[in-house]
Structures are given as structure tokens and as C-alpha cells.
Amino acid sequence: MTATSAATGSSLWTACPGCRSPMYGEHFRRSLRVCPECGHHDRFGARERIAQLFDAGSVSPLGAAPTVEDPLGFADTRPYALRLRQAREGTGLEEAVLCVTAAVRGLPVVAAVMDFAFMGGSLGCAVGERITAAAEHALATGTPLVLVTASGGARMQEGSLALMQMAKTSQALADLDDAGLLTVSVVTDPTYGGVAASYATLADVIVAEAGAHMGFAGPRVIAGTIGQALPAGFQTAETLLAGGLVDGVRRRAELRPLLARLVGAAAWAARGRPVPGEWRTSAPPLVTRPEELPERDAWATVTLARDPGRPTTLDYASCLLDDFLELRGDRVAGDCPAIVGGVGTVDGVPVVLIGHQKGHDTRELVARNFGMGSPQGFRKAARLMRLAGKLGLPVVTLIDTPGAHAGVEAEAGGQAHAIAENLRLMSRLRVPVVAVVTGEGGSGGALALGVADRVLALGNAVYSVISPEGCAAILWRDASAAPQAAGALRLGARELLRHGVVDAVVPEPDGGAHQDPSLTARLVRGAVTRALHDLVPLAPDDLIRARRRRFRLFGTRR
């Protein structure tokens, strides 16, 4: 449905390409061409995308070296040279990507923005050269790189030279990894083939615009190859998110503030990693000597540690951090709901927060698998820790789990491997790590987030090699002996402090953390910021040396 002004000949009304609902054209344009009825995101060109994402007046084009135009002398129904000329005339672009320097909320970036209208956004020599040159400019200037992808894949008309652009651009992103520079990929509809299998999926953070599709082979190719119908939601942004392949799915209007938060976090290290001086005195009264803690019944402490009213990691994220951007997925097999993580700031200092996530009622507990992490969860945690290491951001982990998930799927997915990899990774992470046991610290599932420079525990937290029930079932051969096992395991804060497993205990409000979650969160925030005040200025080699010595000495006579 399209109505036209007789006076101007301009379109006044249009129909949503998704649901066909009629919309006033100017309103559709102001809503960034997103349908208010069905949420369909109409395709954006490169210039429109740049205007939407970056500060007005901040954009300058980036040049690139000349490339071969028609290396094969290719012709199908039309000569390739003619197709190129028509694409340039139709879009006003030289190629399928527009590379610029720009700013997002005042923070400098280099951006490479693809345009599907130019020969399906295909990756040829000129596109590969421009992407690579943009990455090299980001490297030379120490600036984050933002990639906005829209492509059907490598350009067939340029043959094997187009294929080589996948390796060329991937090398360029590897150089940015080595230099510790942030890369962000915004996947738009569609992103396929050689682009999806190279720079689009190599970024530190991958965000899919709502409605985007991404994959290596397109659905028509797959359906024709395997000869069967494809499942609903195949290759959609939402399916990619559930499969752990992207960090998030965002509506178009949300992309600019998201980029600003990520780029702002990366800029902190470049500013010299400053921390507020008031953090020196931010810690609440902490207990560092075991005799200062009362002797408590072990089973009663376990019960308090498991109380469903205790704050969860997401509760702490909303109180501990001034903002929080959750990042999801292990980029391999899925997104584990029992372990959450992302980037946030504390008094302007960016941190990567990772923790076990339980819930406050049966529905939440079941949805979060009672805080028992899967291999996907531990791999997600490892991915976020590597991101923190690359960008020089402190890591804060919150431990509250009965243990790692024990099940057929977890074992098939490499549960032991995933936990072991986290232990090794954390032992040599070159940024400060502060761990807080907020509830249950169960076995290897807890330790996978616990190899830290400072380990704190709440007053009613527990930390043990096994749950009391598990210990009772194995050694007493009677699960009802769990209270006895709890006492024998000496898993409360007093014993943890005595053995040096934790450095300090954060006293809880009267009756437990669940009685005053807000106060508990403030106490944890103060303890964490004081620890970071001491740790952030330390050299990475000194951090690693002290952390490894800490764990090296456990079990020896000191």
C-alpha cells in the first residue's frame, strides 16, 4: 500500500515489508525503519547506518589501496565490469563497504559498514582490502574497531582471490587481538558465507540486530543440499543467541548506546586505569581472624547459605554496578543460564562481572538449573575472562552453586575439560581477580570461578569439596547424615578463614543476607572496591606471581 502526494510525487504511506501494515512514511523513517506493529527491521544502507550509529560531524572516510577490478574477466548473463558499474551507479558507493573514522558519544572508533544493496554485500578484493585497511588504521591509532555486516558471502566473480580475503581480514583482526584493542561486530540481515566465516564472527562482542539471519550456507543452499525442510527460526538472531553464537540481540535503536558502553569500557585502560581514591576506605568492617567469628552449627549455616531469598548474581549486578551489559554464549554450543556475566562499571571503573545465577522461586531455580553450571557456562565465563584480559579490565566473580551440573549432556559436552580450562586460565590471567562466595561454594563448579587474587566470603557462606548430602551418601551411605557430614567438612566461614581459603569475611545483616539484600549488596560492593583499589595498580606479572603462590601453598605447612 503506497499513497503519493500529487504535489510532490513523494511517497506518504508505505507498507511494512514484514507484516504489510500501513505506515506513514515519515514516521517509519523516524523509527529507523522499524515496524511498530511487528518489529520488522527494514534494511539500512551503509550511509544510513553510519548516520544512526555515530556522532554527527565526527565521520571521516578512510581510504584504501587500489585493488584489481576484474581479475578473471568474468561474465555470466552480464560482464562483471558492467555489474560493478551498475552497482556503483545504483548505490553511489565505490564498493560494498564504507570505512570511516567516527565517534560514538565522543569516543573515537574506526568503523567498516557493509551495504547489501551493492552486489549483495559480497566480499571481494576491494571489500577485503578496505576491511583490512580499517583494521590497520585502528591498530595504528589504538582505536576500537566496529564492524557492521550485511553480506551474501564471498564474491564469486573474483574467484579464489575473493576466497583469500577471508584469511586476509581474519589476520587483521588477530593483530587487533594481539594489541588488546576492542572489536565489535554488529550482525545485520543477512550475513552469510565468507563474511560470516571470517571477520563477522571473530570480534570480541557479537551483537545481532533484531531480525538478522546469519550462517555459513544460506537456507536455499542447505535445503537444496539436504533435501528437507528447515526448522522454524533457522539461522535467526534469536536462534543464534540460544545457540551461544552471539552475545545479544538488540533492536536498532539500542545499538548506539550499546556501542558507547563497550567503547567506554575499553577506553579506561587507555586512560591509565584510574580508580577512585575513596575506594581506599570503602570496605566495611571485614573479619580476617577466625577467632573473631562465632562458632556456628554447620548445618544451620548450610541452610542459610541456600536460602532462596539471598541475593543472586543479577541482583548484585543491579546494586554492585552502576550499569550492566550482559554478554551471552560460549560461541560453540549454547548459552548456560546458570552462569551469567557481562561488563559494567563501578564508580566509572569498568569491570567484568561473572557469577552463578540461581533464583528466588521454583520457576527461576528450574530455569537457571539451580545455579549448576554446564560446560557452556564455564566456557562462557572463560570467554569473558579472556575479554577482560585483552582489554585490561578487572574481573569480579560471585560464587553461589551446589556444584557443576552432573548429567549426561554435561559429560558429553566436556564438563571436566571446561572446568580444568578455567582453572588454568585464571591462574595466568593478567588482570586483578576478586572472588566473593555469596552463598554455596560447591566443589569444582565453584572453584572454576574462584582462582582469584582476593577471595572473600559472606558470613553465612559455605565452601566445600562436596555437598554435605553427597558426602553423607558416599561415606555414611546415608544421605540423611548430611548434618553430620556438614560438621565434619568444616565448610563455614570460620574454618575457611582459618585455612586461608578466604582472605576475609564480610559480615551479613542480622538473620542473613536475605533479610536485607540491599545492605548486603552495599557491603559486598565496599569490600570488592577496596580489594580492587589495592590490586589494580599492581603489575600483571606481580599479580600472577602472587596468585600462583597463593594456590601453590595450600595444603603445605606454613
Side-chain angles (χ1 to χ4, degrees), residues 17-274:
C19 67
R20 308 306 300 170
S21 296
M23 292 175 290
Y24 189 59
E26 180 61 17
H27 292 171
F28 189 43
R29 185 188 67 80
R30 290 180 182 176
S31 67
L32 304 175
R33 298 225 304 267
V34 176
C35 176
E37 296 295 326
C38 71
H40 174 82
H41 284 54
D42 201 18
R43 286 178 184 165
F44 251 18
R47 289 192 181 91
E48 294 172 292
R49 184 74 66 176
I50 288 169
Q52 181 236 332
L53 290 178
F54 305 118
D55 300 350
S58 72
V59 177
S60 297
L62 275 175
T67 55
V68 294
E69 283 248 319
D70 187 7
L72 308 182
F74 193 95
D76 44 35
T77 58
R78 282 175 287 170
Y80 176 43
L82 176 60
R83 288 187 182 275
L84 276 176
R85 185 166 67 251
Q86 291 173 336
R88 286 168 180 157
E89 291 170 353
T91 63
L93 299 173
E94 280 297 306
E95 257 298 341
V97 67
L98 192 54
C99 298
V100 299
T101 60
V104 54
R105 295 189 176 174
L107 299 168
V109 297
V110 173
V113 181
M114 302 192 73
D115 196 315
F116 192 77
F118 193 108
M119 296 191 67
S122 50
L123 171 62
C125 294
V127 171
E129 179 61 29
R130 283 163 168 77
I131 295 286
T132 302
E136 289 171 346
H137 186 80
L139 182 65
T141 57
T143 309
L145 176 66
V146 176
L147 302 161
V148 182
T149 62
S151 176
R155 191 168 295 176
M156 294 176 287
Q157 295 89 340
E158 295 185 14
S160 59
L161 286 180
L163 184 67
M164 295 303 109
Q165 304 308 308
M166 295 171 61
K168 176 176 175 176
T169 54
S170 299
Q171 285 180 173
L173 262 71
D175 290 339
L176 297 181
D177 288 337
D178 293 341
L181 292 173
L182 173 69
T183 54
V184 182
S185 177
V186 179
V187 174
T188 74
D189 190 57
T191 296
Y192 281 110
V195 171
S198 59
Y199 54 89
T201 50
L202 290 178
D204 298 314
V205 178
I206 305 173
V207 180
E209 186 174 72
H213 292 74
M214 181 174 73
F216 181 57
R220 283 184 297 178
V221 173
I222 296 173
T225 300
I226 65 176
Q228 65 184 56
L230 300 177
F234 184 68
Q235 294 180 328
T236 63
E238 293 71 21
T239 301
L240 295 170
L241 182 64
L245 299 176
V246 298
D247 287 282
V249 177
R250 293 290 189 276
R251 293 175 65 87
R252 187 166 287 163
E254 298 173 313
L255 294 174
R256 177 181 165 90
L258 181 147
L259 286 178
R261 290 166 70 181
L262 290 170
V263 174
W268 175 73
R271 291 189 288 111
R273 305 168 72 219

Side-chain angles (χ1 to χ4, degrees), residues 17 270 321 424 539:
L321 304 177
R424 178 169 61 181

Side-chain angles (χ1 to χ4, degrees), residues 4 39 110 179 188 237 347 384 529:
T4 304
V110 173
T188 74
D347 297 330
L384 296 181
T529 53

Side-chain angles (χ1 to χ4, degrees), residues 261-346:
R261 290 166 70 181
L262 290 170
V263 174
W268 175 73
R271 291 189 288 111
R273 305 168 72 219
V275 296
E278 56 267 28
W279 281 8
R280 182 189 300 274
T281 57
S282 62
L286 300 177
V287 179
T288 57
R289 296 192 300 170
E291 59 269 22
E292 295 175 359
L293 291 172
E295 294 192 25
R296 294 175 176 166
D297 177 76
W299 185 245
T301 302
V302 170
T303 302
L304 281 173
R306 293 174 174 174
D307 193 289
R310 293 178 75 85
T312 67
T313 291
L314 290 178
D315 294 328
Y316 282 112
S318 64
C319 297
L320 179 67
L321 304 177
D322 303 316
D323 54 21
F324 180 64
L325 174 62
E326 185 176 356
L327 302 176
R328 294 173 55 181
D330 69 347
R331 300 273 178 89
V332 178
D335 180 55
C336 172
I339 295 178
V340 297
V343 180
T345 59
V346 186

